[in-house]
Amino acid sequence: MNTNDSRLAKQIEFIVEIDKLKQVLRRTWLTDKSRRENDAEHSWHLGMMAILLIEHAQQPQLDLLRVLKMVLIHDLVEIDAGDTFAYDEAGAMDKAERETAAAARIFGLLPSDQAAELRALWEEFETRQTPEAKYAAALDRFQPMLHNYRTQGKAWQEHGITADQVITRNRHMAEGAPALWDYARQFVADAVAKGYLGQGTGIAGTLCEKQ
C-alpha cells in the first residue's frame, strides 16, 4: 500500500499506536478485586461518568464533547511515560518532562491539525483552568477513590496511604464537581471508620466533617 504519507494512513497509525494504552496498568484494582485496571479501561470509565454525572459539575452547560475528548486522551502519554503512581513523590519530579516528550511523539503521529487539537486538549486537561478541564479532572480523581473504597482500600493499603494524603491530593475536585467531592469525603471518612484507610495526622477528619 503506497499510502504512508496520506492523511488516512497517519490517522490509522495513531489508532494502532494507542492500542498500547490497553497494556498500561494502573495501581487501581477493579471493583471485584480480580486484577488491576488498565489505562484504556480507566479512560472509558471516565467517559461514561462524564455523561452520567454532568449535572453535578460546578458550572452548568459545559461542552460535554470537549470533556469527553479530554478524558479519552488524557492518559495517552502514559504509553511512553508509564503510569506514575499518584503518591509517588520521586516519580512526580520528572513526570511533566516525561509526559511532555510523550505528547510530542504520540500526538505527532497525526495530521498536523489533529495533532495540534489533541495536544491542546491534553494541555488544557493538565493545566485545569477551564470549567471543562476542572470537571474532567474531578472525574479523574473520583474514579480511583471510588474503586479504592469499593475494594475495601486495597490499593491504599498496599501502598500505606492515609486519609490525609487522599484528602490533600484530591481536594481540587471541588473546583469541578463539588457534589462529587462531598460524596468522596463521606466515603473517605467511612473508609477510616471501617479500617480501610489510615487516618494520618487527623487533618482528613476535620475536612471530612466540613460537608
Side-chain angles (χ1 to χ4, degrees):
M1 295 175 63
N2 188 23
T3 58
N4 289 337
D5 295 327
S6 74
R7 181 178 180 86
L8 178 58
K10 291 179 179 179
Q11 293 166 331
I12 295 299
E13 186 63 25
F14 177 80
I15 289 168
V16 171
E17 181 68 12
I18 66 174
D19 185 63
K20 295 176 182 176
L21 198 66
K22 300 171 187 175
Q23 300 171 6
V24 180
L25 291 179
R26 294 167 50 82
R27 300 304 198 282
T28 308
W29 288 83
L30 301 184
T31 55
D32 68 358
K33 297 192 266 190
S34 61
R35 62 172 174 83
R36 288 157 56 192
E37 71 173 354
N38 64 52
D39 266 350
E41 293 167 330
H42 168 69
S43 299
W44 161 80
H45 217 177
L46 295 190
M48 289 301 301
M49 290 167 59
I51 294 167
L52 296 173
L53 303 177
I54 193 166
E55 67 193 74
H56 303 294
Q58 168 68 20
Q59 186 162 320
Q61 299 180 335
L62 292 181
D63 183 343
L64 178 58
L65 178 57
R66 192 170 192 85
V67 174
L68 288 171
K69 287 180 179 179
M70 277 191 273
V71 298
L72 287 175
I73 70 169
H74 80 290
D75 274 345
L76 291 181
V77 295
E78 294 186 359
I79 290 171
D80 288 358
D83 174 57
T84 303
F85 181 48
Y87 302 96
D88 180 0
E89 294 182 3
M93 292 179 67
D94 67 346
K95 179 175 182 285
E97 181 180 353
R98 287 184 285 112
E99 293 190 348
T100 299
R105 185 193 74 81
I106 295 167
F107 298 134
L109 296 173
L110 284 165
S112 59
D113 60 321
Q114 291 184 319
E117 179 192 6
L118 267 60
R119 176 66 181 267
L121 284 165
W122 176 73
E123 291 176 350
E124 180 180 346
F125 176 87
E126 290 294 310
T127 55
R128 219 170 63 234
Q129 295 300 307
T130 66
E132 285 80 10
K134 289 176 181 178
Y135 175 55
L139 299 175
D140 187 43
R141 295 298 176 84
F142 182 77
Q143 189 256 7
M145 291 177 69
L146 182 62
H147 275 237
N148 266 298
Y149 178 64
R150 290 302 182 99
T151 57
Q152 292 77 53
K154 186 169 177 61
W156 285 334
Q157 292 176 11
E158 285 178 343
H159 299 281
I161 305 304
T162 67
D164 289 341
Q165 290 173 287
V166 174
I167 291 295
T168 299
R169 174 170 171 76
N170 296 296
R171 65 200 335 172
H172 72 72
M173 280 176 54
E175 300 173 1
L180 292 184
W181 178 232
D182 287 345
Y183 191 87
R185 287 189 298 177
Q186 291 176 40
F187 66 63
V188 166
D190 192 55
V192 171
K194 291 178 176 176
Y196 303 164
L197 184 62
Q199 175 71 60
T201 62
I203 298 170
T206 302
L207 289 173
C208 287
E209 290 171 4
K210 294 178 180 178
Q211 302 296 337

